[in-house]
Amino acid sequence: MRGVGAAAGRAARARRGRGAAMAEEAAVRAQADTVRRLKQDNADPDQIAKEVAKLLEMKAQLGEDEGKHKFVLKTPKGTRDYGPKQMAIRERVFNAIISCFKRHGAEVIDTPVFELKETLTGKYGEDSKLIYDLKDQGGELLSLRYDLTVPFARYLAMNKITNIKRYHIAKVYRRDNPAMTRGRYREFYQCDFDIAGQFDPMIPDAECLKIVHEILSDLELGDFLIKVNDRRILDGMFAVCGVPDSKFRTICSSVDKLDKVPWEEVRSEMVGEKGLSPEAADRIGEYVQLHGGLDLIEQLLQDPKLSQNKLAKEGLEDMKLLFEYLTLFGITGKISFDLSLARGLDYYTGVIFEAVLLHQENEHVEEPVSVGSVAGGGRYDGLVGMFDPKGRKVPCVGVSIGIERIFSILEQRLEASEEKIRTTETQVLVASAQKKLLEERLKLISELWDAGIKAEMLYKKNPKLLNQLQYCEETGIPLVAIVGEQELKDGVVKLRIVASREEVNVRRESLVEEIRIRTSQ
Amino acid sequence: MRGVGAAAGRAARARRGRGAAMAEEAAVRAQADTVRRLKQDNADPDQIAKEVAKLLEMKAQLGEDEGKHKFVLKTPKGTRDYGPKQMAIRERVFNAIISCFKRHGAEVIDTPVFELKETLTGKYGEDSKLIYDLKDQGGELLSLRYDLTVPFARYLAMNKITNIKRYHIAKVYRRDNPAMTRGRYREFYQCDFDIAGQFDPMIPDAECLKIVHEILSDLELGDFLIKVNDRRILDGMFAVCGVPDSKFRTICSSVDKLDKVPWEEVRSEMVGEKGLSPEAADRIGEYVQLHGGLDLIEQLLQDPKLSQNKLAKEGLEDMKLLFEYLTLFGITGKISFDLSLARGLDYYTGVIFEAVLLHQENEHVEEPVSVGSVAGGGRYDGLVGMFDPKGRKVPCVGVSIGIERIFSILEQRLEASEEKIRTTETQVLVASAQKKLLEERLKLISELWDAGIKAEMLYKKNPKLLNQLQYCEETGIPLVAIVGEQELKDGVVKLRIVASREEVNVRRESLVEEIRIRTSQ
């Protein structure tokens, strides 16, 4: 296999070609230049740190590609395995999220991992280049889903559903540049909750924000902030700043980068790459630094330019209503109306929001993971209509919890805390004190399984008692049921409590009940 | 969108070309011929029915491709959505399976949906052509996983794990010809349980069979049979029948078809396509009709030819040991040692097995779904070594539950039974008796959510009480918490029990407790 793997690796590199390899190396050099320039300019230390991390990652990726290919022993770029410990953390997080979704009365659905390519076409704006396509092997052209929202809209239109509240937890795929140490992957879970239907304004929207608030509070990830804006306010703002209609979406994409790069860079993209006039860019620059609560909404409703724009006015009035509902929910303390929030995707039509964790203050972790947004969503009233043959619209609003970043934090926290986490639920180990008792162990464990007891045994004919007890210590099994020749004659089983080393003889017919009592809490 | 969809549909058809369309139509005609021939020959009615079903499906697929493409409103060929009702069934089945895996002390892992293409190369024999490849968009060449076994072996080698008992429940992908009415898809779940490690013979193998037995019994799918064989017995049999070494695997693939096509057809494939001598084929034909229990094993251990073959003898002796353990587990009644069982995959090295449901006797269903194998597995001692740079072996044995076919049966059964299945867990609807109480409903529902109560409300400012009560009837919500002006003044909430129409006033501070009591069972 070694030979085969190495040959395949060589073939892969040859196929990718010197051109691709050189491009990757050039990207690393360019990144190194960026870091050098930032240091010379005495830039913000946080930003320098971020760019250095990116550089290290790019270098690691390049090295990894070279070194590991020989043995074909890796997962694809930007993906990872989940071992039993990671899965235990993942299940805890999923349980918290699913509980919340069910608390809000959601049903659950599932859709295929791939869609017809044309189903995804024209839904993601500039991000469309990140979609994974399947190879044309004859038949339909397919792509891996990029999110759960477009498949949901396709599902609604296809089944003519006009009214549903559902959640969907599944993996999505983006050919992005992964930053795995910060919980960014090419394959990652999304946990989506959406409300579809024609309802009175802002009631379902407010519930989505309540859900984000509940989940982030439940998971105890530290302080967080939910930024809220409205596509109509953004579009109105672009109009009054003098952005031509045709440039709304692309300027919106630039604004969306404000959480990652400083305004000056965004401005130069708008003016340089996208051909916006410097005056228009500067006017936008004034608006996007605004954030606040009800008072800011009131202030903008009085803004001489914005209040004259129909779209902006509608958006602001709905935002006011939303804040009234959020006040009734008692959660405005963690909500910020933020004019710089844009969200990249094309399909949003109204309220948009995004939750970010604030400075990770965690005593256990020396170097906190820097995580970005952990949840986001918004209203998309036009998406279902794009799929309906007659263009019938179904208004929708929804939220997506970005769970990988949450995992990264909890995983680091657990590693630092040295808390022992059990990865099985085994209640009892069936053990033997002497040799030649394999048959008796098999008979007893079979009885226990049939009675619903979680039981294990060592797969050896004649295991030593010490090894069997040690296995319990290592894996956290609380009880040992020991069969021995004397016990068999007496019709009893010796039950040992691992923690206290106490041993009691239990009549065989009472064993199941005894195990249940001793492991029920 | 309509225009765009139609254009894309036309483009897709144009791309596939007239050639492909004609090939599909030709395949339908060939199938029609097959059916005609079988009828003329007075063939087995079951077989005719099967071929007719296949024909209808091919026709439907052809029609579907044409009709629906115009609106891009379908899931990819061979895939399906799961609506809330299907998901409720799916969760029941998963719970039964996961409970069993946990009862046997398994940990859980997860791996990415795609692997490096070379990871899958050379593991599946003739089935390799069914692997989905991703398009080369620069970077690594990837394929969707074909099963969970090869990723598991890659995971073990990559992490140098020599000892684990794990389960993995995830979707796998095969570009097969789907027969969706019979629960065969291109995207489907596998539920895998595997034991890796160097242990005393047949103990983990016996546990895998016990697990299949437990799960199929739990799910109450009707009578079933677990066929067992051993690759070493097959290889020994091929050797003594005069099959050249180089043809073992391909002849094994032919034998694997015996559960679907009659011996005569398999024989003609062996002799015609694969160039086996007619005498060798006939000798194989005698062996593969044998099936039985311990007595057959004893008989074959005395077989003058087979007992002289080292591999066959090893296999038979292990089979005997296996049956002894299965006797201790009390499950031999549903196990059949069957020399015609071959299993298609290349990587098996020892025991192999497959569970089939026997005649679906179900009073509720008029036309029973014909399902094939619902579980399968075996021992693969060489697979991990194929990934390890030093070729270190980790012996493995495992079982895979084919859950889609089980869904198909349960789904049909549920539909026929008219049993109402709840798709949410909502305990209480927060309702109002008069207008202008939206704020009060929002305040109350927020209190309930924060206390962990599963609560819903209608997203309307002023819903009619009748509509609110009707919503409860439709969705099975058992309680209604009604706020009214008088109740607000009195500090109470009116709690209505939907089933009995009884109404009681509950003090607001006791409401959560009251709901808990009334919905706890």
Side-chain angles (χ1 to χ4, degrees):
Chain A
M1 192 60 198
R2 185 172 194 161
V4 176
R10 274 195 304 277
R13 275 193 299 281
R15 191 190 43 71
R16 271 158 57 203
R18 264 188 66 76
M22 281 171 67
E24 280 175 25
E25 282 159 24
V28 173
R29 279 196 305 275
Q31 180 65 18
D33 285 342
T34 305
V35 170
R36 212 171 300 122
R37 187 170 43 76
L38 285 172
K39 284 183 181 168
Q40 283 168 357
D41 297 353
N42 286 321
D44 174 30
D46 276 1
Q47 205 202 332
I48 296 181
K50 219 160 76 181
E51 298 297 333
V52 169
K54 197 170 151 193
L55 176 63
L56 290 174
E57 193 146 18
M58 287 166 82
K59 279 185 177 170
Q61 191 66 48
L62 201 66
E64 205 173 62
D65 270 5
E66 292 307 306
K68 289 201 181 166
H69 247 107
K70 284 168 202 152
F71 303 123
V72 211
L73 261 182
K74 68 186 288 286
T75 60
K77 182 179 176 186
T79 67
R80 62 178 289 195
D81 294 319
Y82 280 80
K85 274 200 184 137
Q86 283 90 40
M87 288 299 281
I89 303 171
R90 200 165 105 172
E91 281 192 6
R92 279 188 198 175
V93 179
F94 277 157
N95 285 341
I97 291 173
I98 292 172
S99 297
C100 177
F101 291 164
K102 287 190 172 173
R103 194 156 61 234
H104 287 260
E107 303 180 284
V108 58
I109 71 160
D110 194 20
T111 65
V113 81
F114 41 58
E115 295 278 343
L116 298 186
K117 184 175 166 58
E118 48 195 355
T119 299
L120 307 190
T121 303
K123 311 298 187 303
Y124 300 107
E126 294 181 8
D127 288 347
S128 295
K129 62 181 183 299
L130 303 181
I131 293 173
Y132 277 97
D133 291 329
L134 269 75
K135 191 168 150 185
D136 183 359
Q137 293 170 293
E140 300 158 335
L141 286 185
L142 307 174
S143 300
L144 297 187
R145 62 184 161 209
Y146 181 86
D147 64 8
L148 303 177
T149 309
V150 169
F152 176 52
R154 192 265 307 146
Y155 170 79
L156 294 184
M158 186 170 140
N159 297 288
K160 299 193 175 56
I161 296 167
T162 54
N163 195 330
I164 192 173
K165 176 162 56 179
R166 79 89 182 81
Y167 71 92
H168 186 186
I169 295 183
K171 288 174 175 174
V172 301
Y173 299 87
R174 300 184 183 179
R175 297 180 55 255
D176 215 335
N177 276 322
M180 303 202 282
T181 47
R182 282 175 286 146
R184 287 188 56 196
Y185 295 89
R186 289 182 158 200
E187 171 186 63
F188 57 98
Y189 266 101
Q190 282 197 336
C191 305
D192 278 24
F193 172 98
D194 292 80
I195 301 171
Q198 188 71 58
F199 302 117
D200 281 326
M202 294 299 118
I203 312 179
D205 312 60
E207 184 166 359
C208 287
L209 291 167
K210 176 82 170 91
I211 282 175
V212 175
H213 193 279
E214 283 179 24
I215 290 173
L216 295 183
S217 304
D218 271 10
L219 290 174
E220 297 178 341
L221 299 167
D223 207 9
F224 62 89
L225 184 71
I226 309 174
K227 299 178 192 173
V228 186
N229 198 0
D230 192 300
R231 270 286 163 90
R232 292 167 297 174
I233 300 176
L234 277 167
D235 283 353
M237 176 183 93
F238 293 146
V240 305
C241 291
V243 179
D245 281 15
S246 62
K247 289 202 161 74
F248 276 19
R249 284 284 78 82
T250 184
I251 294 301
C252 194
S253 287
S254 299
V255 171
D256 186 46
K257 294 173 184 160
L258 274 174
D259 58 336
K260 292 178 202 105
V261 295
W263 164 249
E264 274 316 308
E265 217 165 300
V266 170
R267 184 185 180 280
S268 82
E269 180 182 296
M270 286 177 176
V271 177
E273 285 175 41
K274 301 190 170 170
L276 190 65
S277 73
E279 298 74 32
D282 290 337
R283 273 181 232 124
I284 293 173
E286 277 170 40
Y287 280 116
V288 295
Q289 58 183 287
L290 300 175
H291 51 90
L294 258 177
D295 41 347
L296 175 60
I297 301 170
E298 296 288 3
Q299 177 196 321
L300 291 175
L301 274 169
Q302 307 305 321
D303 183 283
K305 284 179 292 177
L306 221 45
S307 62
Q308 297 308 307
N309 180 283
K310 191 171 163 287
L311 266 181
K313 195 154 172 278
E314 267 179 40
L316 285 166
E317 271 159 6
D318 273 350
M319 189 60 67
K320 193 175 157 189
L321 193 58
L322 179 66
F323 266 77
E324 283 166 17
Y325 296 159
L326 298 179
T327 307
L328 292 165
F329 287 160
I331 60 172
T332 45
K334 297 211 183 291
I335 313 262
S336 167
F337 169 44
D338 188 327
L339 282 167
S340 75
L341 178 72
R343 307 266 311 147
L345 305 179
D346 265 12
Y347 50 63
Y348 291 118
T349 56
V351 167
I352 48 178
F353 51 87
E354 199 165 287
V356 290
L357 298 184
L358 303 176
H359 22 256
Q360 266 305 111
E361 286 175 286
N362 190 335
E363 335 145 46
H364 301 306
V365 180
E366 280 187 20
E367 215 174 317
V369 262
S370 130
V371 295
S373 121
V374 289
R379 177 163 283 283
Y380 49 101
D381 288 348
L383 193 56
V384 179
M386 287 175 77
F387 289 108
D388 189 275
K390 293 184 179 158
R392 278 167 297 214
K393 288 190 175 182
V394 179
C396 296
V397 63
V399 52
S400 182
I401 311 289
I403 198 159
E404 308 296 338
R405 298 176 186 193
I406 296 173
F407 287 148
S408 289
I409 297 168
L410 295 180
E411 210 179 329
Q412 274 209 11
R413 200 184 276 181
L414 196 81
E415 244 167 65
S417 77
E418 292 178 20
E419 184 200 335
K420 259 207 170 175
I421 187 164
R422 273 199 79 180
T423 54
T424 69
E425 298 176 8
T426 309
Q427 295 165 292
V428 62
L429 184 83
V430 173
S432 53
Q434 296 101 11
K435 290 191 171 184
K436 297 199 180 165
L437 288 170
L438 173 61
E439 282 76 8
E440 291 300 333
R441 281 191 291 142
L442 288 171
K443 254 174 29 192
L444 179 58
I445 201 167
S446 182
E447 281 172 36
L448 294 177
W449 285 332
D450 292 343
I453 298 291
K454 294 168 190 149
E456 285 184 71
M457 58 178 270
L458 296 197
Y459 301 122
K460 283 186 149 281
K461 278 181 98 154
N462 297 309
K464 288 183 184 144
L465 186 58
L466 193 67
N467 290 347
Q468 298 176 82
L469 297 180
Q470 213 163 357
Y471 182 77
C472 294
E473 301 272 2
E474 283 162 14
T475 59
I477 299 175
L479 299 173
V480 195
I482 305 171
V483 288
E485 275 158 27
Q486 190 56 48
E487 286 84 359
L488 283 169
K489 273 186 210 140
D490 299 346
V492 298
V493 173
K494 187 177 281 172
L495 194 65
R496 179 183 168 112
I497 293 88
V498 176
S500 65
R501 301 183 178 191
E502 178 196 349
E503 292 187 343
V504 284
N505 278 341
V506 179
R507 293 213 58 77
R508 183 116 173 186
E509 58 272 23
S510 320
L511 182 62
V512 167
E513 190 52 27
E514 188 69 25
I515 293 171
R516 280 211 188 107
I517 291 168
R518 289 190 180 263
T519 53
S520 75
Q521 291 135 23
Chain B
M1 193 62 200
R2 183 173 196 162
V4 175
R10 275 195 304 276
R13 276 193 299 281
R15 190 189 44 69
R16 272 159 55 204
R18 263 189 67 76
M22 279 170 68
E24 282 176 22
E25 282 159 25
V28 172
R29 279 198 305 274
Q31 180 65 19
D33 285 343
T34 306
V35 170
R36 211 171 301 123
R37 186 171 43 76
L38 286 172
K39 285 183 180 167
Q40 282 168 359
D41 298 352
N42 285 324
D44 174 29
D46 275 0
Q47 205 202 333
I48 296 182
K50 218 161 79 182
E51 297 298 333
V52 168
K54 197 169 152 194
L55 176 62
L56 290 175
E57 194 147 15
M58 287 168 81
K59 279 186 175 170
Q61 191 66 46
L62 202 67
E64 205 171 62
D65 269 6
E66 293 305 307
K68 288 201 180 165
H69 247 106
K70 284 169 201 152
F71 304 122
V72 212
L73 262 181
K74 67 186 288 287
T75 60
K77 183 179 175 186
T79 68
R80 64 178 287 198
D81 293 320
Y82 280 80
K85 274 198 184 138
Q86 284 89 41
M87 288 299 281
I89 303 170
R90 200 164 106 172
E91 283 192 6
R92 280 188 197 175
V93 179
F94 278 157
N95 285 342
I97 292 172
I98 293 172
S99 296
C100 177
F101 291 164
K102 287 190 172 173
R103 193 157 60 236
H104 288 259
E107 303 181 284
V108 56
I109 71 159
D110 194 21
T111 65
V113 80
F114 40 59
E115 295 279 344
L116 298 186
K117 185 174 166 59
E118 48 196 355
T119 298
L120 306 191
T121 303
K123 312 296 186 302
Y124 300 108
E126 294 182 7
D127 288 346
S128 295
K129 62 180 184 296
L130 303 181
I131 293 173
Y132 276 97
D133 290 330
L134 269 74
K135 191 168 151 185
D136 184 359
Q137 294 170 293
E140 301 158 335
L141 285 185
L142 308 174
S143 300
L144 296 186
R145 61 184 163 210
Y146 181 86
D147 64 8
L148 303 177
T149 310
V150 169
F152 176 53
R154 192 265 307 144
Y155 170 80
L156 294 184
M158 184 170 141
N159 296 288
K160 299 191 174 55
I161 296 167
T162 54
N163 195 330
I164 192 174
K165 177 162 56 179
R166 79 90 182 81
Y167 71 92
H168 186 185
I169 295 183
K171 289 174 177 175
V172 302
Y173 299 87
R174 300 185 182 178
R175 297 178 55 253
D176 215 335
N177 276 324
M180 303 203 283
T181 47
R182 281 176 288 148
R184 288 189 55 197
Y185 294 89
R186 290 184 156 199
E187 172 187 62
F188 57 98
Y189 266 100
Q190 281 195 336
C191 304
D192 278 23
F193 172 98
D194 292 79
I195 301 171
Q198 188 71 57
F199 302 116
D200 281 326
M202 294 299 117
I203 313 179
D205 311 59
E207 183 167 0
C208 288
L209 291 168
K210 176 81 170 93
I211 282 175
V212 175
H213 193 279
E214 284 179 25
I215 289 173
L216 294 183
S217 305
D218 271 10
L219 289 174
E220 297 179 340
L221 298 167
D223 207 9
F224 61 89
L225 184 72
I226 309 174
K227 300 179 191 172
V228 186
N229 198 0
D230 192 300
R231 270 285 163 91
R232 291 167 298 174
I233 300 177
L234 277 168
D235 283 353
M237 175 182 93
F238 293 145
V240 304
C241 291
V243 180
D245 282 15
S246 62
K247 289 202 161 76
F248 276 18
R249 283 285 79 80
T250 185
I251 293 301
C252 193
S253 288
S254 298
V255 171
D256 186 45
K257 293 174 185 159
L258 274 174
D259 58 337
K260 293 179 201 101
V261 296
W263 164 248
E264 274 315 309
E265 217 165 300
V266 169
R267 184 185 180 283
S268 83
E269 180 181 296
M270 287 177 175
V271 177
E273 285 174 42
K274 301 190 169 173
L276 191 66
S277 73
E279 299 73 32
D282 290 336
R283 274 181 231 124
I284 293 174
E286 276 168 40
Y287 280 116
V288 294
Q289 59 184 289
L290 300 176
H291 51 89
L294 260 176
D295 39 347
L296 176 60
I297 302 171
E298 296 287 4
Q299 176 196 321
L300 291 176
L301 275 169
Q302 307 304 323
D303 183 284
K305 285 178 292 176
L306 220 45
S307 62
Q308 295 310 306
N309 180 285
K310 191 170 162 287
L311 265 181
K313 194 154 173 279
E314 267 179 41
L316 285 166
E317 270 160 7
D318 273 349
M319 188 61 67
K320 192 175 159 190
L321 193 58
L322 179 67
F323 266 77
E324 283 166 18
Y325 295 160
L326 298 179
T327 307
L328 292 166
F329 287 160
I331 59 171
T332 44
K334 297 210 184 291
I335 313 261
S336 166
F337 170 44
D338 188 326
L339 282 167
S340 75
L341 178 72
R343 309 266 308 146
L345 305 179
D346 263 12
Y347 50 63
Y348 290 117
T349 55
V351 168
I352 48 177
F353 51 87
E354 199 165 288
V356 291
L357 297 185
L358 303 176
H359 22 256
Q360 265 306 112
E361 286 175 286
N362 190 335
E363 338 145 44
H364 300 307
V365 180
E366 282 188 17
E367 214 174 317
V369 263
S370 128
V371 295
S373 121
V374 290
R379 177 163 283 283
Y380 48 102
D381 288 348
L383 193 56
V384 178
M386 288 175 78
F387 289 108
D388 188 275
K390 293 182 181 159
R392 278 169 297 214
K393 287 192 175 182
V394 179
C396 296
V397 63
V399 50
S400 183
I401 310 289
I403 197 160
E404 308 295 339
R405 298 177 187 192
I406 296 173
F407 287 148
S408 289
I409 297 168
L410 295 181
E411 212 179 327
Q412 274 208 11
R413 201 185 276 182
L414 196 82
E415 244 168 65
S417 77
E418 291 178 22
E419 183 199 338
K420 258 208 171 176
I421 186 163
R422 272 198 80 181
T423 54
T424 69
E425 298 176 8
T426 309
Q427 296 166 290
V428 61
L429 185 83
V430 174
S432 53
Q434 296 100 12
K435 290 192 171 183
K436 298 199 179 165
L437 288 168
L438 174 61
E439 282 77 9
E440 292 301 333
R441 281 191 291 143
L442 287 171
K443 257 176 24 196
L444 179 58
I445 201 167
S446 181
E447 282 173 35
L448 294 177
W449 285 331
D450 292 344
I453 299 291
K454 295 168 189 150
E456 286 184 72
M457 58 179 269
L458 297 197
Y459 301 121
K460 284 188 148 277
K461 278 182 98 154
N462 298 308
K464 288 183 185 143
L465 186 58
L466 193 67
N467 290 347
Q468 297 175 85
L469 297 179
Q470 213 163 357
Y471 182 77
C472 293
E473 301 272 2
E474 283 162 15
T475 59
I477 300 175
L479 299 173
V480 195
I482 305 171
V483 287
E485 275 159 28
Q486 191 56 47
E487 286 84 0
L488 283 168
K489 273 185 210 142
D490 299 346
V492 297
V493 173
K494 187 176 282 172
L495 195 65
R496 181 183 168 111
I497 293 87
V498 176
S500 65
R501 301 182 179 192
E502 177 196 351
E503 292 186 344
V504 283
N505 278 341
V506 179
R507 292 213 58 78
R508 183 114 173 191
E509 57 273 22
S510 320
L511 182 61
V512 166
E513 190 51 29
E514 188 69 28
I515 293 171
R516 281 211 188 108
I517 292 167
R518 289 190 180 263
T519 54
S520 75
Q521 292 135 21

